[in-house]
Amino acid sequence: MIEKITSTNNKTIKFIKQIINDKKYRDSAEVFGVESYRVTKQLIDNKYTLKYVLVSSSSKYVSAFNKESIIWVNDNVFSTLSSLANSDGIIGIFNKQKKSLQLAPNKKYIILDKIQNPGNFGAIARICVAFKLDGIIVSNDSVDIYNPAIIRGSMGAIFSIPVMVTTDLGKMIGELKKLQYKVFSTTLDKNARDVNSISFPSSCAIIFGNEGNGIDLKYIKMSDETIYIKISEQVDSLNIAATVAIIAWKLTQ
């Protein structure tokens, strides 16, 4: 039977609001939410377990899901949950799935240190998938990978690439070096080399830092080399997602 909800005071609606807005609640409940039919279907195809799907009364996708998993809500209730200007009336609630990457030789990884902007993170995930990189290693003091803005910004790509969230980024860099990886840090220091002069090896990892403060000095010191992208003197720096895109492209050449 399809459950029908017409009140924002309904306990299920309150539960979903907490999942969408509160990382701690997502962590404790071991679930997360995504919006749009496209991303919901993508996760189902990737074998994520769907707990249930909210379908607004005006959505054209009401027949796209098993009736037993549907929670039907009226448009007014749905609008209190949606973050999209032109929503298609679908919000999927899924169990979290362990998809942590396993370090292995001859891979190309992106390492993210304290990335805070979910829009940047989402764009980076999409870039990594576009250029067929092998995984993302991210410090746990970065933005939550299940943040709705990351999922939205990545167009669901965050679920198509292995991600390792670590409490000890230094240890992971050390593990990569044990596997004979060459580790690069993106910096603007005087000793950094133009990325165009680098021939990236088959086993390499590139560190990108916090949007305001850059990479922690201790990780720079662990790197084999520092690199930069030469740009016009009229611009101080590039957005981190743009930087990742350029270097990801270089990694595929």
Side-chain angles (χ1 to χ4, degrees):
M1 180 183 293
I2 298 178
E3 181 179 353
K4 296 183 179 181
I5 297 175
T6 58
S7 171
T8 56
N9 290 320
N10 178 277
K11 65 180 182 180
T12 300
I13 298 303
K14 290 181 177 180
F15 171 71
I16 291 169
K17 281 183 178 179
Q18 286 179 299
I19 290 170
I20 292 171
N21 296 320
D22 189 335
K23 177 186 183 302
K24 290 182 178 179
Y25 202 83
R26 288 193 292 272
D27 290 344
S28 64
E30 286 291 312
V31 296
F32 66 97
V34 301
E35 186 167 3
S36 83
Y37 170 76
R38 179 178 180 273
V39 178
T40 300
K41 181 66 164 56
Q42 180 183 354
L43 265 69
I44 292 171
D45 291 345
N46 285 342
K47 309 302 181 185
Y48 278 78
T49 301
L50 178 70
K51 285 180 67 68
Y52 40 79
V53 58
L54 270 73
V55 182
S56 71
S57 56
S58 61
S59 176
K60 66 180 180 180
Y61 294 109
V62 67
S63 61
F65 300 96
N66 184 315
K67 288 185 178 181
E68 295 304 315
S69 66
I70 291 176
I71 297 175
W72 183 92
V73 299
N74 66 25
D75 288 346
N76 288 336
V77 172
F78 191 90
S79 68
T80 68
L81 302 171
S82 174
S83 60
L84 300 180
N86 296 296
S87 176
D88 60 12
I90 298 294
I91 293 176
I93 305 299
F94 290 85
N95 290 331
K96 288 187 177 182
Q97 177 176 307
K98 302 290 185 183
K99 197 181 179 184
S100 180
L101 69 86
Q102 301 297 315
L103 300 182
N106 301 313
K107 303 289 185 181
K108 291 182 169 63
Y109 298 129
I110 294 298
I111 300 175
L112 302 176
D113 177 24
K114 300 182 185 70
I115 301 305
Q116 299 301 313
N117 185 299
N120 283 338
F121 201 136
I124 288 168
R126 195 175 183 195
I127 288 162
C128 289
V129 173
F131 289 104
K132 298 182 179 180
L133 301 188
D134 297 296
I136 300 171
I137 301 169
V138 56
S139 63
N140 72 323
D141 48 3
S142 296
V143 63
D144 177 30
I145 66 170
Y146 294 101
N147 184 297
I150 289 180
I151 298 168
R152 184 168 61 249
S154 74
M155 299 293 286
I158 190 67
F159 302 111
S160 298
I161 186 168
V163 178
M164 175 189 288
V165 180
T166 177
T167 59
D168 193 339
L169 204 54
K171 180 180 179 181
M172 291 303 104
I173 294 170
E175 292 297 319
L176 287 168
K177 293 175 77 69
K178 287 179 185 178
L179 290 170
Q180 305 301 309
Y181 270 73
K182 191 163 186 179
V183 179
F184 299 86
S185 284
T186 53
T187 74
L188 295 175
D189 70 71
K190 63 181 181 180
N191 296 317
R193 288 179 58 191
D194 186 337
V195 69
N196 289 315
S197 70
I198 302 292
S199 179
F200 290 105
S202 59
S203 297
C204 66
I206 318 296
I207 308 175
F208 299 85
N210 174 270
E211 292 89 344
N213 300 316
I215 303 168
D216 191 306
L217 182 59
K218 62 187 176 186
Y219 304 138
I220 295 175
K221 289 180 177 179
M222 294 182 71
S223 302
D224 296 291
E225 204 158 2
T226 55
I227 58 176
Y228 76 101
I229 298 169
K230 188 175 182 179
I231 58 176
S232 165
E233 293 180 356
Q234 294 176 294
V235 177
D236 291 334
S237 63
L238 295 174
N239 172 275
I240 185 173
T243 303
V244 172
I246 292 168
I247 293 180
W249 178 79
K250 293 293 293 184
L251 288 171
T252 66
Q253 302 307 296

